[in-house]
Amino acid sequence: MRRADMIARVEQHHGPWDMVVIGGGATGVGIAVDAASRGYDVLLLEQHDFGKGTSSRSTKLVHGGVRYLEQGNIALVMEALKERGLLRQNAPHLVSNLAFVVPNYDWWEAPFYGLGLKIYNALAGKYGFGPSEMLTRDETLARLPTIKTDGLRGGVVYYDGQFDDTRLLINLAETAAEQGATLVNYARVTGLTKGTDGFIDGVLASDQETGQAWTVRARVVINATGAFSDSVRQLAERDAQPLMAPSQGIHLVFNSSFLAADSAIMVPHTSDGRVMFAIPWHGHTLVGTTDTPIAEPTLEPRPLEEEIAFILETAGQYLRKAPTRADVLSVFVGIRPLVKSGDGKLTAALSRDHTIHFDASGLLTTTGGKWTTYRNMAEHTVDQAADFARLAERPCVTRTLNIHGFHSNAERFGALEVYGADALAIQDVTRQTPSLGVPLHDALPYTGAEVVWATRHEMARTVEDVLARRTRALFLNARAAEAMAPEVARLMAIELGWDSSREASEVIAFSTLARGYQIA
Ligand SMILES: Cc1cc2nc3c(=O)[nH]c(=O)nc-3n(C[C@H](O)[C@H](O)[C@H](O)COP(=O)(O)OP(=O)(O)OC[C@H]3O[C@@H](n4cnc5c(N)ncnc54)[C@H](O)[C@@H]3O)c2cc1C
C-alpha cells in the first residue's frame, strides 16, 4: 500500500464511488474489505492514521464475552463465538488460543463459574477453542504462579482468543487494497454534500498532509467513525439527536514478572461489578479495564487517577506482588462506541450489539459492536448500504476470505510471527542491510527493518504510526518507545525524504505524546 497511489486514484476517479466509508478503525476497514471483495467500488477516508481511535486500544481479546452470557445475551455471545472461530480460520498468524483461569476463593465459585464456562464453550459449537475444566489448587498455581495463595481453593480454566488489534487492522487494510478498495489515511471528512433531492451524494475531504481539498461523490456514504459518529451525523443535520453514549476504559501494562505465565487471569466480578483481565501480551502483562462515561470523545483520551488506582488495587487483590505506579510501563485509554439505551442505564450495561442507523439525509451510520464481530458487522452494513444505493446484489465472501499475511505456522518467524507471510520480506530487508536487524531498544524486539517495512508498504506516515500502531512499542513500554523515536525518525527521513527540521519535529511530537502514556 502506498499513500501516493491511493491519492492518485481518488484524484483520477470518474463518477461516483459505489460507497464512501468515513473512518479507518475496525468497522470502516472491515466494511472496505467486505465491499471490495464483493466487487463494489469503495473509498475509505481516515482523518488520522488507521486505528488511531479505539481500534488500537482494546484489551486484545477475540472473545464471545463471558460477561454478556451472565447478562443473558445468548445471541450476542453465540455470534461473537462464531466470529472468533472465523477470525482464527482466516488470520491464524494473528489470533491465538489463550487459557484464562478464574481463580476461586469462595466455595460457591467453582460450581458457579464451572457451569457458566461449560455453557460458554458449548455455545461455540464447532467453533470451540477447547473445553473448560475445573482446576485443583495446585493446578491453579501451576498455571498462575504469581497469584495470591491465601484462601485459594482452586480455579476454572477456559479458552478464548487473543490478537494484536492494529496488526490485524493493517492486514485488513492490505486485504481491502488487494481486493480493489482505495484507502487513505490522514484524509479528514469535513462536510457532506447533498443532491437536489436532499439526499447525501458525497463528501468534502481534506488531505491532512498537504491541505488539498477533495469533493468526492458517492452512491452511499457510510459513517463508521465509532465514538465520533454523532459529530459526522451533525455534518448532515445540525440537530441530529445524539446516538452515542461514549465511555472510556484504561489498561495498564507491566513487565512479564507480574503474571509470569502463559495463562491469563479473569476476574469475573470486580468491586464495581465488572470483569477484569490480566493477560500475557507480547512478553508483557496487560491489565484492564474500566468503564467511565465521558462527555466528548477525543483522539487521545486521558486516564483518570481513580481509574489507575482502581486497576492497581484490583490487581493487588489477586497478585502476590502488588503492582505500583512505578511499575507501569504504559497506560492507554480507549473509548467504547456505545449506543444510548434511552433509559439512563450505566454504560457497563449498554448493548455491545452493533447498530445500523439511517438519518433522513440517507447517511448510514454503523456503530457499536466489538472488534471480534467486525466481519459480521461489515456484512450487515454492506447489505444495507447496497440495498439503499440500489447496487446490484452481490454475496458476501468474507467468511472464507484469507486475511493478508495468512500463514498457518507463523510461529516459525519468531519475533516477526505477527507479520505472517510478510515476515519473509522483512527478513529480506535485514539480509540486504544487516544493521537494520538489530533491535532499536533492549526492552523491545522491534528492529529498523520493521520501520522500513511499515514506511514502504504499510502507509506509516509519522514516527507515531510506526511506534504506536505498526509496532506496539508505545503500548508496551512508553519510555522505551520515546528512546527509540530519534532512530525511527532517521530511518523514516531516508524513506520519505524528510528534511532535518521535519525529522526533529517528528521526534518532539512523539516524545510529547509518549509522556501521556507514562505515569510518574
Ligand atoms: C477499553 C476497551 C477495550 C476493548 N476490548 C475489546 C476486546 O478485547 N475485544 C473486542 O472484541 N472488542 C473490544 N473493544 C471494542 C472495540 O475495540 C471497538 O468496538 C472497535 O475498536 C470500534 O471500532 P470502530 O472502527 O467502530 O471505531 P474506531 O476504532 O474509533 O474508528 C473510528 C475512526 O473514525 C475516524 N474519524 C472520526 N471522524 C472522522 C472524520 N471526520 N473523517 C475521517 N475519519 C474520522 C477516527 O479517527 C477513528 O480512527 C474494546 C473497547 C474499549 C474501549
Side-chain angles (χ1 to χ4, degrees):
M1 292 191 300
R2 280 170 27 93
R3 189 168 184 274
D5 296 339
M6 298 290 183
I7 289 177
R9 286 194 222 161
V10 175
E11 291 180 345
Q12 288 158 19
H13 194 269
H14 295 295
W17 298 79
D18 288 338
M19 298 179 192
V20 168
V21 181
I22 313 171
T27 306
V29 175
I31 291 167
V33 172
D34 186 300
S37 59
R38 292 193 203 201
Y40 297 129
D41 189 22
V42 58
L43 168 66
L44 179 146
L45 301 169
E46 161 57 48
Q47 64 174 351
H48 194 278
D49 184 29
F50 304 124
K52 171 69 178 180
T54 306
S55 298
S56 55
R57 301 156 186 273
S58 76
T59 312
K60 329 297 178 200
L61 302 180
V62 184
H63 62 159
V66 173
R67 189 157 64 86
Y68 314 127
L69 182 63
E70 218 185 329
Q71 291 167 358
N73 198 339
I74 304 285
L76 178 65
V77 175
M78 283 183 77
E79 176 201 309
L81 288 172
K82 179 174 172 191
E83 291 300 323
R84 178 188 73 166
L86 292 177
L87 192 52
R88 185 175 60 170
Q89 165 198 293
N90 298 335
H93 60 298
L94 278 174
V95 178
S96 54
N97 194 347
L98 182 63
F100 288 76
V101 177
V102 183
N104 300 154
Y105 291 89
D106 272 315
W107 66 267
W108 55 269
E109 289 177 310
F112 184 74
Y113 294 122
L115 178 65
L117 292 166
K118 280 226 155 9
I119 296 172
Y120 185 68
N121 186 51
L123 290 176
K126 66 177 179 175
Y127 298 102
F129 272 36
S132 62
E133 278 174 85
M134 308 289 242
L135 301 177
T136 63
R137 187 176 190 276
D138 285 350
E139 287 166 341
T140 305
L141 282 171
R143 283 181 178 271
L144 301 176
T146 61
I147 198 154
K148 274 208 170 140
T149 48
D150 279 1
L152 181 70
R153 302 172 77 97
V156 184
V157 60
Y158 73 99
Y159 297 88
D160 235 328
Q162 184 185 35
F163 75 138
D164 181 326
D165 46 19
T166 51
R167 251 302 105 218
L168 177 60
L169 188 74
I170 299 303
N171 280 173
L172 284 169
E174 290 167 306
T175 310
E178 285 156 6
Q179 295 293 329
T182 300
L183 305 97
V184 192
N185 52 1
Y186 296 98
R188 178 172 166 75
V189 170
T190 53
L192 297 165
T193 61
K194 289 184 180 169
T196 47
D197 56 4
F199 280 118
I200 284 172
D201 66 356
V203 306
L204 304 174
S206 139
D207 181 337
Q208 301 295 285
E209 293 192 353
T210 61
Q212 176 75 38
W214 299 314
T215 303
V216 175
R217 295 189 54 226
R219 295 187 202 285
V220 56
V221 175
I222 301 174
N223 172 15
T225 56
F228 301 92
S229 296
D230 286 333
S231 59
V232 170
R233 290 175 58 236
Q234 282 156 2
L235 292 175
E237 288 165 47
R238 226 175 321 140
D239 306 330
Q241 281 302 307
L243 278 177
M244 308 305 297
S247 111
Q248 75 174 31
I250 79 158
H251 297 88
L252 302 182
V253 178
F254 306 98
N255 71 35
S256 61
S257 70
F258 287 91
L259 202 51
D262 296 334
S263 302
I265 304 176
M266 196 273 239
V267 176
H269 269 287
T270 58
S271 58
D272 72 346
R274 289 187 44 78
V275 169
M276 194 171 291
F277 296 98
I279 61 173
W281 189 60
H282 290 327
H284 290 70
T285 301
L286 187 158
V287 185
T289 177
T290 52
D291 198 328
T292 311
I294 54 167
E296 280 297 321
T298 55
L299 277 179
E300 274 301 335
R302 309 285 305 133
L304 302 179
E305 279 303 319
E306 55 262 39
E307 292 181 297
I308 296 171
F310 176 74
I311 293 198
L312 289 175
E313 188 193 316
T314 308
Q317 285 165 9
Y318 288 86
L319 298 175
R320 275 210 294 283
K321 181 169 98 179
T324 66
R325 292 175 71 89
D327 297 313
V328 176
L329 299 177
S330 179
V331 50
F332 63 90
V333 187
I335 304 179
R336 291 182 190 80
L338 299 177
V339 177
K340 272 187 198 308
S341 66
D343 61 1
K345 276 190 193 161
L346 284 176
T347 52
L350 292 183
S351 172
R352 263 63 170 172
D353 277 330
H354 63 260
T355 297
I356 296 177
H357 173 90
F358 278 97
D359 278 306
S361 60
L363 177 69
L364 189 168
T365 295
T366 181
T367 192
K370 42 193 205 148
W371 236 122
T372 308
T373 53
Y374 84 91
R375 193 212 61 81
N376 185 38
M377 187 170 172
E379 180 178 346
H380 288 167
T381 305
V382 173
D383 284 347
Q384 299 267 322
D387 273 357
F388 176 80
R390 301 200 175 93
L391 300 172
E393 211 172 294
R394 295 185 174 138
C396 171
V397 298
T398 55
R399 265 179 221 149
T400 52
L401 184 71
N402 286 351
I403 292 170
H404 182 98
F406 177 97
H407 196 292
S408 302
N409 298 297
E411 58 284 354
R412 63 186 283 197
F413 301 124
L416 297 179
E417 175 178 0
V418 289
Y419 292 93
D422 281 343
L424 289 167
I426 299 171
Q427 287 169 349
D428 283 342
V429 173
T430 306
R431 245 188 300 282
Q432 281 151 22
T433 315
S435 60
L436 291 175
V438 180
L440 300 177
H441 194 282
D442 292 348
L444 294 168
Y446 304 119
T447 64
E450 291 172 77
V451 179
V452 169
W453 175 260
T455 311
R456 282 187 198 161
H457 301 289
E458 296 183 339
M459 282 170 74
R461 306 296 297 172
T462 67
V463 167
E464 179 195 335
D465 297 349
V466 168
L467 288 172
R469 291 170 293 274
R470 304 305 183 283
T471 70
R472 306 316 307 272
L474 179 65
F475 288 76
L476 292 170
N477 187 331
R479 283 191 177 81
E482 195 181 340
M484 289 159 73
E487 181 58 8
V488 172
R490 191 187 71 77
L491 292 169
M492 293 186 79
I494 298 168
E495 292 298 316
L496 296 172
W498 291 345
D499 60 18
S500 53
S501 88
R502 170 75 194 267
E503 189 182 323
S505 67
E506 279 288 325
V507 175
I508 293 168
F510 183 76
S511 295
T512 309
L513 178 84
R515 303 261 159 85
Y517 288 67
Q518 302 166 15
I519 56 176

Short mmCIF file of all heavy atoms in Angstrom, two decimals, residues 51-87:
data_model
loop_
_atom_site.label_atom_id
_atom_site.label_comp_id
_atom_site.label_asym_id
_atom_site.label_seq_id
_atom_site.Cartn_x
_atom_site.Cartn_y
_atom_site.Cartn_z
N GLY A 51 -6.58 3.10 12.71
CA GLY A 51 -6.50 2.57 14.08
C GLY A 51 -6.18 3.60 15.15
O GLY A 51 -6.00 3.24 16.31
N LYS A 52 -6.13 4.89 14.79
CA LYS A 52 -5.82 5.91 15.80
C LYS A 52 -6.90 5.94 16.90
O LYS A 52 -6.63 6.26 18.05
CB LYS A 52 -5.72 7.28 15.13
CG LYS A 52 -5.61 8.46 16.09
CD LYS A 52 -4.28 8.49 16.82
CE LYS A 52 -4.18 9.71 17.73
NZ LYS A 52 -2.92 9.78 18.45
N GLY A 53 -8.12 5.62 16.53
CA GLY A 53 -9.23 5.65 17.51
C GLY A 53 -9.19 4.42 18.40
O GLY A 53 -8.12 3.92 18.78
N THR A 54 -10.36 3.91 18.72
CA THR A 54 -10.49 2.82 19.70
C THR A 54 -9.82 1.53 19.23
O THR A 54 -9.39 0.72 20.05
CB THR A 54 -11.99 2.56 19.94
OG1 THR A 54 -12.59 3.80 20.30
CG2 THR A 54 -12.22 1.56 21.03
N SER A 55 -9.72 1.33 17.92
CA SER A 55 -9.30 0.03 17.42
C SER A 55 -7.85 -0.33 17.72
O SER A 55 -7.44 -1.46 17.49
CB SER A 55 -9.60 -0.08 15.92
OG SER A 55 -11.00 0.03 15.73
N SER A 56 -7.05 0.63 18.25
CA SER A 56 -5.70 0.26 18.71
C SER A 56 -5.68 0.08 20.22
O SER A 56 -4.63 -0.23 20.78
CB SER A 56 -4.70 1.37 18.34
OG SER A 56 -5.14 2.62 18.84
N ARG A 57 -6.82 0.29 20.88
CA ARG A 57 -6.80 0.46 22.34
C ARG A 57 -7.66 -0.58 23.06
O ARG A 57 -8.17 -0.34 24.15
CB ARG A 57 -7.29 1.87 22.67
CG ARG A 57 -6.43 2.95 22.04
CD ARG A 57 -7.20 4.25 21.86
NE ARG A 57 -6.45 5.26 21.13
CZ ARG A 57 -5.60 6.13 21.70
NH1 ARG A 57 -5.41 6.11 22.98
NH2 ARG A 57 -4.96 6.99 20.93
N SER A 58 -7.89 -1.72 22.41
CA SER A 58 -8.75 -2.75 23.01
C SER A 58 -7.96 -3.59 24.01
O SER A 58 -6.74 -3.42 24.16
CB SER A 58 -9.32 -3.65 21.91
OG SER A 58 -8.33 -4.55 21.46
N THR A 59 -8.65 -4.54 24.64
CA THR A 59 -7.99 -5.48 25.58
C THR A 59 -7.30 -6.62 24.82
O THR A 59 -6.69 -7.48 25.42
CB THR A 59 -9.03 -6.02 26.59
OG1 THR A 59 -9.77 -4.91 27.12
CG2 THR A 59 -8.40 -6.72 27.76
N LYS A 60 -7.42 -6.61 23.50
CA LYS A 60 -6.74 -7.58 22.61
C LYS A 60 -7.34 -8.98 22.71
O LYS A 60 -6.65 -9.98 22.53
CB LYS A 60 -5.22 -7.66 22.84
CG LYS A 60 -4.53 -6.39 23.31
CD LYS A 60 -4.60 -5.26 22.32
CE LYS A 60 -3.96 -3.99 22.84
NZ LYS A 60 -4.39 -2.78 22.13
N LEU A 61 -8.64 -9.05 23.00
CA LEU A 61 -9.30 -10.35 23.09
C LEU A 61 -10.23 -10.56 21.91
O LEU A 61 -10.98 -9.64 21.52
CB LEU A 61 -10.11 -10.45 24.39
CG LEU A 61 -9.30 -10.25 25.67
CD1 LEU A 61 -10.20 -10.37 26.89
CD2 LEU A 61 -8.16 -11.26 25.74
N VAL A 62 -10.17 -11.76 21.34
CA VAL A 62 -11.15 -12.17 20.34
C VAL A 62 -12.06 -13.11 21.10
O VAL A 62 -11.72 -14.26 21.33
CB VAL A 62 -10.47 -12.90 19.17
CG1 VAL A 62 -11.48 -13.23 18.09
CG2 VAL A 62 -9.34 -12.06 18.60
N HIS A 63 -13.19 -12.60 21.55
CA HIS A 63 -13.94 -13.37 22.56
C HIS A 63 -15.45 -13.24 22.38
O HIS A 63 -15.95 -12.32 21.76
CB HIS A 63 -13.53 -12.95 23.97
CG HIS A 63 -13.82 -11.51 24.31
ND1 HIS A 63 -13.92 -11.05 25.59
CD2 HIS A 63 -14.04 -10.44 23.52
CE1 HIS A 63 -14.18 -9.77 25.59
NE2 HIS A 63 -14.25 -9.36 24.36
N GLY A 64 -16.12 -14.24 22.99
CA GLY A 64 -17.59 -14.20 22.96
C GLY A 64 -18.10 -13.24 24.02
O GLY A 64 -19.20 -12.71 23.89
N GLY A 65 -17.31 -13.02 25.06
CA GLY A 65 -17.74 -12.12 26.13
C GLY A 65 -18.48 -12.88 27.21
O GLY A 65 -19.71 -12.97 27.19
N VAL A 66 -17.72 -13.43 28.18
CA VAL A 66 -18.33 -14.20 29.27
C VAL A 66 -19.36 -13.34 29.99
O VAL A 66 -20.42 -13.82 30.42
CB VAL A 66 -17.22 -14.67 30.25
CG1 VAL A 66 -17.80 -15.32 31.48
CG2 VAL A 66 -16.26 -15.62 29.54
N ARG A 67 -19.07 -12.04 30.08
CA ARG A 67 -19.96 -11.14 30.82
C ARG A 67 -21.34 -11.03 30.17
O ARG A 67 -22.36 -10.89 30.84
CB ARG A 67 -19.32 -9.76 30.89
CG ARG A 67 -20.01 -8.80 31.80
CD ARG A 67 -19.04 -7.74 32.21
NE ARG A 67 -18.64 -6.96 31.05
CZ ARG A 67 -19.32 -5.91 30.59
NH1 ARG A 67 -20.43 -5.55 31.19
NH2 ARG A 67 -18.89 -5.23 29.57
N TYR A 68 -21.37 -11.09 28.82
CA TYR A 68 -22.67 -10.95 28.15
C TYR A 68 -23.51 -12.20 28.37
O TYR A 68 -24.73 -12.16 28.34
CB TYR A 68 -22.50 -10.66 26.66
CG TYR A 68 -21.45 -9.59 26.43
CD1 TYR A 68 -20.39 -9.78 25.57
CD2 TYR A 68 -21.51 -8.40 27.16
CE1 TYR A 68 -19.40 -8.81 25.43
CE2 TYR A 68 -20.52 -7.44 27.02
CZ TYR A 68 -19.47 -7.65 26.16
OH TYR A 68 -18.50 -6.71 26.04
N LEU A 69 -22.82 -13.33 28.63
CA LEU A 69 -23.53 -14.56 28.95
C LEU A 69 -24.26 -14.37 30.27
O LEU A 69 -25.43 -14.71 30.42
CB LEU A 69 -22.51 -15.70 29.06
CG LEU A 69 -23.05 -17.09 29.33
CD1 LEU A 69 -23.93 -17.54 28.18
CD2 LEU A 69 -21.89 -18.07 29.49
N GLU A 70 -23.52 -13.78 31.22
CA GLU A 70 -24.10 -13.53 32.54
C GLU A 70 -25.31 -12.60 32.43
O GLU A 70 -26.27 -12.71 33.16
CB GLU A 70 -23.02 -12.87 33.40
CG GLU A 70 -23.03 -13.33 34.82
CD GLU A 70 -22.02 -12.52 35.61
OE1 GLU A 70 -21.00 -12.11 35.04
OE2 GLU A 70 -22.28 -12.31 36.78
N GLN A 71 -25.23 -11.66 31.44
CA GLN A 71 -26.35 -10.72 31.25
C GLN A 71 -27.49 -11.38 30.47
O GLN A 71 -28.49 -10.75 30.16
CB GLN A 71 -25.89 -9.48 30.48
CG GLN A 71 -24.95 -8.59 31.27
CD GLN A 71 -24.26 -7.54 30.38
OE1 GLN A 71 -24.46 -7.50 29.17
NE2 GLN A 71 -23.45 -6.69 30.99
N GLY A 72 -27.28 -12.64 30.06
CA GLY A 72 -28.35 -13.37 29.35
C GLY A 72 -28.41 -13.06 27.87
O GLY A 72 -29.38 -13.43 27.19
N ASN A 73 -27.38 -12.38 27.32
CA ASN A 73 -27.42 -12.05 25.89
C ASN A 73 -26.80 -13.19 25.07
O ASN A 73 -25.72 -13.07 24.49
CB ASN A 73 -26.69 -10.72 25.64
CG ASN A 73 -27.06 -10.13 24.30
OD1 ASN A 73 -27.53 -10.85 23.41
ND2 ASN A 73 -26.85 -8.84 24.14
N ILE A 74 -27.56 -14.31 25.01
CA ILE A 74 -27.04 -15.53 24.39
C ILE A 74 -26.74 -15.31 22.91
O ILE A 74 -25.72 -15.77 22.38
CB ILE A 74 -28.07 -16.67 24.53
CG1 ILE A 74 -28.44 -16.88 25.99
CG2 ILE A 74 -27.58 -17.96 23.87
CD1 ILE A 74 -27.40 -17.59 26.80
N ALA A 75 -27.62 -14.59 22.21
CA ALA A 75 -27.44 -14.40 20.76
C ALA A 75 -26.13 -13.67 20.48
O ALA A 75 -25.37 -14.05 19.57
CB ALA A 75 -28.62 -13.62 20.18
N LEU A 76 -25.84 -12.64 21.28
CA LEU A 76 -24.60 -11.87 21.09
C LEU A 76 -23.38 -12.76 21.33
O LEU A 76 -22.41 -12.74 20.57
CB LEU A 76 -24.58 -10.67 22.04
CG LEU A 76 -23.32 -9.80 22.00
CD1 LEU A 76 -23.17 -9.11 20.64
CD2 LEU A 76 -23.36 -8.73 23.10
N VAL A 77 -23.45 -13.56 22.38
CA VAL A 77 -22.32 -14.44 22.70
C VAL A 77 -22.11 -15.46 21.58
O VAL A 77 -20.98 -15.68 21.12
CB VAL A 77 -22.55 -15.16 24.05
CG1 VAL A 77 -21.43 -16.16 24.33
CG2 VAL A 77 -22.64 -14.15 25.19
N MET A 78 -23.19 -16.06 21.10
CA MET A 78 -23.06 -17.07 20.04
C MET A 78 -22.48 -16.46 18.77
O MET A 78 -21.62 -17.02 18.11
CB MET A 78 -24.41 -17.71 19.74
CG MET A 78 -24.79 -18.73 20.79
SD MET A 78 -26.32 -19.55 20.40
CE MET A 78 -25.79 -20.71 19.15
N GLU A 79 -22.97 -15.26 18.43
CA GLU A 79 -22.46 -14.61 17.22
C GLU A 79 -20.97 -14.32 17.38
O GLU A 79 -20.17 -14.60 16.47
CB GLU A 79 -23.22 -13.29 17.01
CG GLU A 79 -22.69 -12.49 15.84
CD GLU A 79 -23.06 -11.01 15.92
OE1 GLU A 79 -24.25 -10.70 16.12
OE2 GLU A 79 -22.15 -10.18 15.79
N ALA A 80 -20.58 -13.81 18.54
CA ALA A 80 -19.17 -13.45 18.74
C ALA A 80 -18.30 -14.71 18.76
O ALA A 80 -17.18 -14.69 18.24
CB ALA A 80 -19.01 -12.66 20.04
N LEU A 81 -18.80 -15.81 19.34
CA LEU A 81 -18.00 -17.04 19.37
C LEU A 81 -17.81 -17.58 17.96
O LEU A 81 -16.74 -18.10 17.61
CB LEU A 81 -18.67 -18.08 20.26
CG LEU A 81 -18.59 -17.78 21.77
CD1 LEU A 81 -19.45 -18.77 22.56
CD2 LEU A 81 -17.15 -17.81 22.27
N LYS A 82 -18.82 -17.45 17.14
CA LYS A 82 -18.68 -17.90 15.75
C LYS A 82 -17.66 -17.01 15.02
O LYS A 82 -16.77 -17.50 14.31
CB LYS A 82 -20.05 -17.82 15.05
CG LYS A 82 -19.98 -18.25 13.63
CD LYS A 82 -21.35 -18.30 13.02
CE LYS A 82 -21.18 -18.55 11.53
NZ LYS A 82 -22.40 -18.36 10.80
N GLU A 83 -17.76 -15.70 15.22
CA GLU A 83 -16.81 -14.79 14.57
C GLU A 83 -15.39 -15.03 15.05
O GLU A 83 -14.43 -14.93 14.28
CB GLU A 83 -17.21 -13.33 14.82
CG GLU A 83 -18.50 -12.91 14.11
CD GLU A 83 -18.41 -13.06 12.59
OE1 GLU A 83 -17.35 -12.79 12.01
OE2 GLU A 83 -19.43 -13.46 11.98
N ARG A 84 -15.27 -15.37 16.33
CA ARG A 84 -13.95 -15.70 16.90
C ARG A 84 -13.34 -16.86 16.10
O ARG A 84 -12.17 -16.83 15.71
CB ARG A 84 -14.14 -16.09 18.37
CG ARG A 84 -12.91 -16.50 19.10
CD ARG A 84 -13.25 -17.05 20.49
NE ARG A 84 -13.85 -18.38 20.43
CZ ARG A 84 -14.00 -19.21 21.46
NH1 ARG A 84 -13.65 -18.80 22.67
NH2 ARG A 84 -14.54 -20.40 21.32
N GLY A 85 -14.16 -17.89 15.84
CA GLY A 85 -13.69 -19.06 15.09
C GLY A 85 -13.33 -18.70 13.65
O GLY A 85 -12.32 -19.16 13.11
N LEU A 86 -14.15 -17.85 13.02
CA LEU A 86 -13.87 -17.47 11.63
C LEU A 86 -12.58 -16.65 11.55
O LEU A 86 -11.80 -16.81 10.61
CB LEU A 86 -15.05 -16.66 11.06
CG LEU A 86 -16.36 -17.43 10.86
CD1 LEU A 86 -17.46 -16.50 10.35
CD2 LEU A 86 -16.16 -18.60 9.89
N LEU A 87 -12.37 -15.81 12.54
CA LEU A 87 -11.18 -14.96 12.51
C LEU A 87 -9.91 -15.81 12.68
O LEU A 87 -8.91 -15.59 11.99
CB LEU A 87 -11.28 -13.88 13.60
CG LEU A 87 -10.27 -12.76 13.53
CD1 LEU A 87 -10.23 -12.10 12.16
CD2 LEU A 87 -10.57 -11.70 14.58
#
